Amino acid sequence: MKSQLPEKIKKWVDDRTGLVKFFSEFLHEEIPGGTRFSYTLGSACMFLLTIQIVTGIWSLFYYVPTVDYAYSSLNYMRLQVPFGWLIHGFHKWGGTLFTIVVGLHVMRVFIWGAYKKPRELVWLIGIVLIILTALFMFTGPVLPWDKKGYWAGQVGIGIAGSVPIIGPFTQTLLQGGSSMGQLALLRMYVLHVAIIPSMIAIFVVLHLVAFRQYGESGPWAEEKRKKVGYFWPEQIFKDVVVAYLLFLLLVWLSAFHPPEFSGLADPSDTLYTPNRNGISCSFIRP
């Protein structure tokens, strides 16, 4: 009776949701050309995006989005909150690694020709995700409201403002006025923690749905495509190995190359030079 109970529950759930059948087909999917570590880039993107979401939400419990308290609240988390330095390091370096891995993923897809018919929609959605990733990397550094982030935002918004016709409107929209201040910080905050993540979530779901329609494209050579691998356990093992290595890399970067303390943003300090005036710390922990 006990041995039959899990099967009955599984059948009950599958009859009403189809989830058991879906995951069974997903795990036993055939991969043309066999499994490869190059195929782990997509799952690595998802792993790093999850890291960004988790560490970002954690940081929101301490971060105050005002020009008076943004810098001090972030430093409080890094120096006073247990493992706050690790969370902040994960978020900072996770964003950098996420951008790099997304770029490598795009290169792999292009080289493999996976953008061709019938996978055009997967490619187009991926391009939108690249743009959203770039916006993520643009809005994030402004939030600490330190010297480095302030001037990075100032330069970025200035570039956006130089675009013909729509430039001035874009600059005013991002800054909320004629100069960088509280409204600019608040708008970057809303973009970084609400609007961009929501859009990324929507397009990631669309990307995965479109990808599931035709699966992995496999290598170019027809002879190599005859070799077949399976998602479980072969490809998942490679995905887990890469995720584990990325996790170790994040720990090492956070511990020995933490984000610098560049000082509170000073709009009047036009002579600031990144990585020169910043106070570098080799290891930060409470």
Side-chain angles (χ1 to χ4, degrees), residues 27-49:
L27 292 175
H28 295 90
E29 178 189 6
E30 294 183 352
I31 301 177
T35 61
R36 299 167 183 259
F37 274 101
S38 59
Y39 292 161
T40 64
L41 292 172
S43 60
C45 290
M46 292 299 298
F47 172 73
L48 291 170
L49 180 60

Side-chain angles (χ1 to χ4, degrees), residues 26-274:
F26 173 72
L27 292 175
H28 295 90
E29 178 189 6
E30 294 183 352
I31 301 177
T35 61
R36 299 167 183 259
F37 274 101
S38 59
Y39 292 161
T40 64
L41 292 172
S43 60
C45 290
M46 292 299 298
F47 172 73
L48 291 170
L49 180 60
T50 302
I51 291 289
Q52 291 303 98
I53 293 171
V54 173
T55 57
I57 292 174
W58 191 317
S59 300
L60 289 178
F61 285 105
Y62 302 98
Y63 177 75
V64 181
T66 66
V67 295
D68 294 325
Y69 296 105
Y71 185 69
S72 59
S73 64
L74 186 61
N75 285 342
Y76 171 79
M77 187 188 79
R78 291 198 284 183
L79 297 174
Q80 302 298 325
V81 176
F83 298 104
W85 61 271
L86 184 63
I87 295 300
H88 180 66
F90 262 49
H91 195 71
K92 190 270 184 185
W93 285 114
T96 302
L97 289 180
F98 178 66
T99 304
I100 294 172
V101 173
V102 166
L104 292 174
H105 182 52
V106 172
M107 288 176 59
R108 202 277 300 173
V109 170
F110 183 79
I111 293 171
W112 260 247
Y115 58 88
K116 298 179 180 179
K117 185 180 179 180
R119 296 178 176 84
E120 303 97 326
L121 187 59
V122 181
W123 172 261
L124 293 174
I125 295 174
I127 297 300
V128 175
L129 287 171
I130 293 174
I131 297 172
L132 292 174
T133 300
L135 291 175
F136 239 151
M137 296 302 293
F138 169 68
T139 56
V142 180
L143 300 188
W145 206 249
D146 57 0
K147 293 181 180 180
K148 187 175 182 179
Y150 174 86
W151 289 108
Q154 184 78 280
V155 172
I157 291 177
I159 293 173
S162 65
V163 176
I165 303 176
I166 63 171
F169 170 77
T170 303
Q171 184 171 5
T172 303
L173 183 66
L174 292 174
Q175 287 185 169
S178 58
S179 61
M180 289 277 288
Q182 177 59 52
L183 283 177
L185 175 61
L186 191 58
R187 293 186 181 195
M188 292 294 177
Y189 175 76
V190 171
L191 283 170
H192 192 75
V193 306
I195 297 177
I196 297 176
S198 299
M199 294 180 68
I200 284 182
I202 292 171
F203 280 98
V204 163
V205 171
L206 293 175
H207 191 67
L208 292 175
V209 170
F211 174 77
R212 296 306 313 160
Q213 181 67 23
Y214 294 101
E216 188 60 63
S217 61
W220 282 45
E222 190 64 34
E223 189 64 28
K224 293 182 178 180
R225 290 174 58 85
K226 292 180 181 180
K227 179 184 177 181
V228 176
Y230 293 92
F231 190 71
W232 171 267
E234 303 166 42
Q235 188 61 45
I236 284 186
F237 172 75
K238 291 181 171 65
D239 290 341
V240 171
V241 168
V242 171
Y244 179 68
L245 292 176
L246 287 172
F247 181 83
L248 292 180
L249 179 59
L250 285 173
V251 172
W252 181 77
L253 289 170
S254 300
F256 298 103
H257 298 278
E260 65 180 14
F261 289 81
S262 63
L264 181 64
D266 182 5
S268 64
D269 184 12
T270 57
L271 299 178
Y272 170 75
T273 302

